[in-house]
Amino acid sequence: MTGSENANFHRSGTVDVVLRESRKNWVSNMFHKYPSVCVCVSLTIALICAVVALPNMKMSDDGNRAYLVWDDIRVERQDSFNDALDKIDVENQKKNPVDIQTESIPEWTVWVLYEAKDSVSNLLTPTSINDMQNLQGQIAAHKRYSKVCLQSYDDAAGKRICNVNKKTTVGFYPDHTTQTDINTRTDGIMTDNDLYLELKPYFEKGWTNTQRSVKWTRAMIQHGAPLDIDGKVYKYYKEDEEAQDEYFTDYVLDIADTVDDFDSSNFDTYFYNKKWFDKKSDELVMQDFAFVGLSLAFVIFYMMVHTRSVVLPLIGMFQVMLAFPVAFCIYRYIMQITYFNMMSLLSIFVILGIAADDIFVFVDAWNQAQEHEILMSDLERRISWVY
């Protein structure tokens, strides 16, 4: 085969491939013949989804109910059962109101972890426990502590009181003036198996009768409801639960700062509370979500450079943003998945990345079509080949 015959054969094969890849279909035909209708229909669908979706983009609770499917008979039965239990519980609480701050709320429990510095081999010393007592004293001195602490009856005081040290190292070692006092208390704990098993979770794993020094210990500070907020006395926790949670959250954010700012030469402090964690997690996600604008601007700028067009990137990104409410409607109303949290919003970064790549591929394919005369003479065939 001569060189010219080989070139003709290659050219003929390329044309066959192009013809095969550019077969006209209903998609290209529709966009070619009815471009305005296609744009109007797609925009209408997207806007309807946006109107429906945006008011319903509510953050889900962390409970298992958020993951369940609507209209499932098992879910409906379980929901009915739970609703009945809640109604019974509420009615019982209405008939028998709970004294303020006597019901322990697990989500309000504050954990403070004390970890010994490298230069300290044991936290069960007078100076270390004194430092713990000072920190817990600062917590108890907060103006809201007395209004949210868990109250229990004290026989000596003859009334209900708050005790910030009840389930902490300071409370386990009330007499810690000297090392002898601490050692004597440890002897008593180790010889009382029930007491040892009760206190063991508050100390490091290796804390035993033969290994009495500890590098870390933790304190559990409990809080209770219902609350008395500015003269509004709630009868039970579920009576305006949101308002009581908000009051506690404002308090616990301050406590977290107090623990974080505390300085000790003996240990470092770490803080955890579920309400605080949820609040901080939401704030971090919202801070990250704020970068959507920066990300969008960068993508549009890069697309302008690549496509040498201003209109195309703007329209492309507008369509990308409209994809979010459409996807949400499919997710919520067709797939019937009810779970939606702050992390779900971050999917916008994934959508931006994938969509920008698609636009680059589409534009490049459109430009490459110029190399094939058969495509340049037929717009619909060119659209089919690019698509």
Side-chain angles (χ1 to χ4, degrees), residues 29-62:
N29 181 63
M30 182 173 58
F31 276 94
H32 176 243
K33 292 185 176 181
Y34 312 104
S36 299
V37 174
C38 293
V39 171
C40 290
V41 170
S42 59
L43 283 177
T44 301
I45 293 174
L47 292 174
I48 291 174
C49 289
V51 171
V52 173
L54 291 177
N56 295 294
M57 285 186 181
K58 299 177 181 178
M59 299 299 109
S60 300
D61 294 329
D62 290 333

Side-chain angles (χ1 to χ4, degrees), residues 54-283:
L54 291 177
N56 295 294
M57 285 186 181
K58 299 177 181 178
M59 299 299 109
S60 300
D61 294 329
D62 290 333
N64 292 331
R65 178 64 185 91
Y67 295 90
L68 302 180
V69 178
W70 293 353
D71 301 329
D72 187 293
I73 184 63
R74 293 166 296 181
V75 175
E76 291 180 347
R77 288 176 177 173
Q78 186 63 41
D79 286 347
S80 298
F81 179 73
N82 291 338
D83 287 342
L85 289 180
D86 287 341
K87 289 180 180 179
I88 293 174
D89 186 40
V90 169
E91 289 300 322
N92 287 336
Q93 289 183 334
K94 286 181 178 179
K95 294 178 182 178
N96 304 289
V98 179
D99 291 335
I100 62 169
Q101 301 171 232
T102 56
E103 177 186 354
S104 177
I105 309 299
E107 292 185 347
W108 289 7
T109 299
V110 166
W111 291 96
V112 180
L113 176 67
Y114 302 102
E115 183 179 26
K117 293 183 180 293
D118 293 337
S119 58
V120 178
S121 60
N122 183 21
L123 287 180
L124 296 182
T125 62
T127 55
S128 295
I129 298 179
N130 276 331
D131 284 349
M132 298 177 195
Q133 188 173 32
N134 290 336
L135 173 57
Q136 290 158 203
Q138 291 181 28
I139 294 175
H142 190 280
K143 61 183 179 181
R144 285 194 178 182
Y145 174 75
S146 61
K147 298 180 179 179
V148 297
C149 65
L150 178 65
Q151 295 185 354
S152 57
Y153 190 81
D154 183 83
D155 292 332
K159 60 180 181 180
R160 288 187 289 109
I161 62 170
C162 298
N163 185 358
V164 72
N165 298 324
K166 186 175 183 180
K167 293 189 176 182
T168 68
T169 305
V170 178
F172 304 149
Y173 287 86
D175 297 322
H176 55 266
T177 305
T178 66
Q179 190 65 48
T180 301
D181 295 332
I182 295 174
N183 294 339
T184 301
R185 175 57 176 164
T186 302
D187 290 338
I189 294 173
M190 294 299 175
T191 55
D192 187 335
N193 189 59
D194 291 338
L195 181 60
Y196 171 71
L197 293 177
E198 179 185 349
L199 303 188
K200 186 178 179 181
Y202 296 90
F203 298 91
E204 66 179 82
K205 188 176 181 179
W207 189 55
T208 62
N209 192 28
T210 57
Q211 178 59 40
R212 297 190 174 192
S213 62
V214 295
K215 293 286 288 184
W216 68 261
T217 179
R218 60 179 177 174
M220 182 175 73
I221 302 174
Q222 294 177 294
H223 300 84
L227 302 180
D228 177 356
I229 303 177
D230 299 326
K232 169 62 177 177
V233 181
Y234 294 98
K235 297 180 180 179
Y236 45 91
Y237 175 56
K238 290 186 178 181
E239 181 187 2
D240 202 351
E241 180 178 340
E242 184 176 345
Q244 296 185 71
D245 279 338
E246 183 179 355
Y247 187 85
F248 173 80
T249 301
D250 291 341
Y251 149 82
V252 84
L253 290 173
D254 289 343
I255 297 304
D257 292 337
T258 299
V259 173
D260 187 56
D261 295 339
F262 187 79
D263 184 34
S264 170
S265 60
N266 297 291
F267 52 73
D268 296 315
T269 55
Y270 303 92
F271 178 91
Y272 176 78
N273 168 262
K274 189 177 186 308
K275 292 296 182 183
W276 166 84
F277 179 81
D278 291 344
K279 181 76 172 179
K280 289 298 182 180
S281 297
D282 290 346
E283 289 178 357

